[in-house]
């Protein structure tokens, strides 16, 4: 499609907010704190930050710029920029499949956030004083997790909202949401972190998150940090290619990539600073797993003045953060069917949205049924000859985040670094910014993309499977 007919962002800020909306989501507020807790804090955080800087940011620049150059989503972009029949298209296809898989379980967690909006608004998280009352606050998560009906209902509700927004289209749906909600989220998180700084566990939390305890870090932890740097920045599956494809020629891509990555990392660290002081103040377990944010935050809300209001605000914003990310996941999947197969937007979004919804049902049933929960993990453990397996939900997250996204990122890095014509690449990067013309910066980026990122990804993967 020519630049004239493709829809474009209403403004540069529209792109920045929507891309930041995609990046900032459950990955920052739900997943990052819990995997930090499971991996012992400090050293994991440091590896994660190194991955963001050395692998994530260069790949983000690569994705946005490949999208802008091709004016297409991932499959079309790889296809258009290479000769007919070239296998590079497969990298784009892997991205579409990854988006499908991620959204299927992402929506289940977003459903938990929606359930918590209701609980919070009903005043569930206020006025807990005795140890029994405080423990009862945490127990709400266990009850929700084990309830198949509630999980499925909220998952369906969240997917329905996501589908409705994506049918409405690029500008109306995505752009407007980010404009208001992102700043609101930052303000609320900063306020909660300020509150957490007054708690007695604050010092321990800071040394947990920023102290260097290398003994706790494993090869699997390093793989998880790498995978999470892709997950949190929405990289490795073409979301940023898709959003970049709605940019005009005159829009720059480098400065915005830095802004988005910085904002995303800031939100993740702020989330840890709000959350871990509560963990340590109330003697809770940092390695509590996927329930962490749903247990810790309410425990603090229940003892804060105006706790119900804060709790409601927090979970509303968490839901919206999840929504702007979910929208980008569905957008990648749907835009393949729209751009490459010629489907209408409503048809593509409705059909694929419903397919993802159905594929997500086993994830919604992973906490409350034997079939996709403990029975599934035992079967997996048996099949792999290991002591412990993962249930359906955890297994999909592990596969998608730790393997599929980094593989997609590896493909993109090799493509943008080695396959694209240097003259074209440089010219395209010079449009709308000075980056392409500042030689050391350009070469620094290029060699990060060509050598550092691919080698890092391959080494971490080999290490994780015990070959290194
Ligand atoms: N970046 C999102 C988060 O941190 O919650 C998740 C995500 C969105 C991953 C879009 C990948 C993606 F393409």
């Amino acid at each position: 499609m020519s630049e004239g007919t493709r829809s474009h962002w209403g403004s540069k800020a529209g792109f920045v907010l929507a891309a930041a909306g995609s990046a900032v989501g459950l990955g920052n507020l739900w997943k990052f704190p819990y995997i930090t807790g499971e991996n012992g804090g400090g050293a994991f955080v440091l590896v994660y930050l190194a991955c963001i800087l050395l692998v994530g940011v260069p790949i983000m620049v690569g994705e946005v710029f490949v999208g802008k150059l091709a004016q297409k989503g991932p499959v079309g972009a790889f296809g258009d920029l290479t000769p007919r029949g070239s296998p590079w298209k497969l990298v784009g296809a892997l991205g579409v499949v990854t988006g499908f898989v991620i959204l299927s379980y992402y929506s289940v967690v977003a459903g938990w956030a929606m359930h918590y909006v209701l609980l919070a608004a009903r005043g569930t998280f206020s006025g807990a004083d005795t140890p029994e009352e405080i423990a009862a606050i945490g127990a709400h998560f266990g009850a929700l997790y084990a309830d198949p009906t509630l999980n499925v209902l909220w998952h369906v509700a969240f997917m329905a909202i996501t589908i409705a927004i994506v049918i409405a289209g690029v500008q109306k749906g995505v752009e407007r949401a980010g404009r208001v909600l992102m700043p609101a989220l930052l303000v609320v998180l900063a306020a909660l972190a300020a509150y957490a700084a007054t708690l007695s566990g604050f010092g321990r939390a800071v040394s947990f998150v920023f102290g260097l305890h290398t003994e706790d870090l494993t090869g699997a932890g390093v793989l998880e940090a790498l995978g999470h740097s892709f997950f949190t920045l929405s990289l490795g599956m073409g979301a940023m290619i898709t959003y970049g494809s709605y940019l005009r020629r005159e829009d720059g891509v480098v400065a915005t990539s830095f802004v988005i990555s910085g904002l995303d990392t800031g939100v993740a660290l702020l989330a840890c600073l709000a959350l871990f002081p509560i963990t340590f103040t109330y003697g809770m377990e940092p390695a509590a797993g996927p329930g962490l944010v749903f247990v810790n935050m309410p425990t603090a809300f229940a003892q804060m003045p105006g706790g119900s209001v804060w709790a409601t605000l927090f979970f509303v914003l968490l839901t919206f953060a999840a929504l702007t990310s979910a929208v980008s996941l569905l957008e990648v999947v749907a835009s393949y069917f729209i751009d490459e197969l010629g489907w209408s937007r409503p048809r593509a979004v409705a059909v694929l949205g419903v397919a993802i919804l159905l594929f997500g049902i086993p994830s919604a049933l992973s906490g409350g049924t034997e079939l996709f929960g403990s029975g599934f993990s035992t079967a997996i453990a048996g099949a792999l000859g290991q002591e412990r397996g993962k249930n359906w939900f955890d297994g999909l997250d592990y596969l998608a985040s730790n393997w599929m996204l980094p593989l997609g990122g590896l493909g993109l890095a090799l493509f943008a670094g080695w396959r694209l014509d240097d003259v074209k690449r440089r010219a395209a990067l010079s449009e709308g910014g000075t980056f392409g013309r500042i030689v050391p910066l350009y070469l620094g980026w290029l060699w990060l993309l060509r050598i550092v990122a691919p080698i890092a990804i391959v080494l971490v993967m080999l290490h994780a499977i015990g070959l290194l």
Side-chain angles (χ1 to χ4, degrees):
M1 208 186 287
S2 78
E3 207 187 313
T5 51
R6 190 173 182 81
S7 52
H8 287 98
W9 299 102
S11 65
K12 177 86 174 293
F15 166 73
V16 175
L17 285 167
S22 168
V24 175
L26 296 171
N28 307 63
L29 301 160
W30 160 73
K31 193 171 171 191
F32 181 64
Y34 104 70
I35 59 179
T36 296
E38 284 183 340
N39 286 289
F44 175 83
V45 174
L46 203 67
V47 175
Y48 156 82
L49 291 175
C51 291
I52 294 275
L53 213 59
L54 297 177
V55 181
V57 175
I59 290 185
M60 164 105 58
V61 173
E63 279 206 20
V64 176
F65 134 83
V66 162
K68 183 183 135 184
L69 195 65
Q71 296 281 303
K72 292 242 170 112
V75 181
F78 282 102
D80 272 18
L81 298 172
T82 52
R84 258 188 100 80
S86 148
W88 284 107
K89 253 185 144 167
L90 291 176
V91 180
L94 172 69
V96 174
V97 176
T98 311
F100 189 101
V101 171
I102 293 182
L103 184 52
S104 76
Y105 65 83
Y106 199 83
S107 165
V108 174
V109 182
W112 298 345
M114 287 172 77
H115 181 71
Y116 268 65
V117 171
L118 268 196
L119 290 182
R122 279 199 219 123
T124 315
F125 308 132
S126 66
D129 296 316
T130 63
E132 293 77 34
E133 283 168 345
I134 295 174
I137 297 284
H140 285 284
F141 181 72
L144 168 64
Y145 187 66
D147 187 329
T149 318
L150 268 184
N151 273 279
V152 171
L153 284 179
W154 284 117
H155 163 62
V156 171
F158 183 80
M159 279 308 300
I161 299 173
T162 307
I163 292 170
I165 292 184
V166 180
I167 288 185
V170 181
Q171 305 208 351
K172 277 184 286 167
V174 189
E175 197 167 329
R176 280 188 201 152
R179 216 172 268 273
V180 194
L181 298 168
M182 186 69 57
L185 176 67
L186 273 175
V187 171
V188 169
L189 262 188
L192 292 175
Y195 167 82
T198 65
L199 297 176
S200 62
F202 183 70
R204 273 191 68 197
V206 170
S207 88
F208 179 76
V209 178
F210 297 109
L212 206 59
H213 343 270
T214 38
E215 67 283 359
D216 295 325
L217 196 66
T218 59
V222 175
L223 179 71
E224 191 150 25
L226 176 77
H228 189 67
S229 71
F230 282 94
F231 186 89
T232 192
L233 294 178
S234 303
L235 297 177
M237 51 153 279
M240 291 298 163
I241 299 184
T242 308
Y243 276 7
S245 75
Y246 301 122
L247 284 173
R248 296 183 184 80
R249 288 195 61 165
E250 63 272 20
D251 297 324
V253 304
V254 180
T256 43
S257 298
F258 271 96
V259 170
I260 295 162
S261 310
L263 190 69
D264 185 83
T265 309
V267 172
L269 295 176
L270 212 50
C272 285
L273 286 180
L275 212 136
F276 285 113
I278 302 166
T279 310
F280 291 114
T281 303
Y282 296 106
M284 297 165 141
E285 186 47 56
L292 189 68
V293 73
F294 295 99
V295 172
N296 280 248
M297 294 309 293
T299 302
F301 292 138
Q303 288 159 87
M304 266 182 210
S308 284
V309 178
W310 284 108
T312 311
L313 207 57
F314 177 79
F315 287 110
V316 165
L317 289 170
L318 183 61
T319 303
F320 275 110
L323 200 57
T324 49
S325 300
V327 157
S328 72
L329 287 158
L330 186 53
E331 181 71 37
V332 170
V333 180
S335 72
Y336 167 69
F337 290 80
I338 298 168
D339 291 347
E340 302 306 307
L341 303 181
W343 290 22
S344 71
R345 173 168 281 270
R347 175 168 172 227
V349 176
V351 170
L352 273 301
V354 170
I356 292 170
L357 184 160
L358 295 175
F359 187 68
I361 287 184
S363 290
L365 298 178
S366 288
T369 66
E370 172 79 15
L371 181 60
F372 296 108
S374 52
F376 190 85
S377 51
T378 313
I380 289 286
L384 298 175
Q386 288 168 356
E387 251 171 67
R388 287 186 51 211
K390 292 185 191 306
N391 65 27
W392 174 281
F393 173 105
D394 292 332
L396 279 191
D397 185 31
Y398 173 76
L399 267 185
S401 311
N402 294 4
W403 295 97
M404 294 166 82
L405 292 179
L407 270 181
L410 176 65
L412 184 282
L414 296 175
F415 179 78
W418 296 101
R419 183 66 181 77
L420 281 184
D421 177 67
D422 193 53
V423 176
K424 253 202 207 163
R425 176 173 47 218
R426 207 168 188 148
L429 273 173
S430 305
E431 290 164 0
T434 48
F435 181 81
R437 274 171 263 138
I438 305 175
V439 177
L441 275 185
Y442 174 73
L443 288 180
W445 167 74
L446 190 59
W447 288 97
L448 281 176
L449 206 60
R450 282 185 162 178
I451 301 285
V452 177
I455 290 188
I457 295 170
V458 171
L459 287 184
V460 170
M461 286 181 167
L462 290 178
H463 186 51
I465 52 176
L467 285 181
L468 199 76

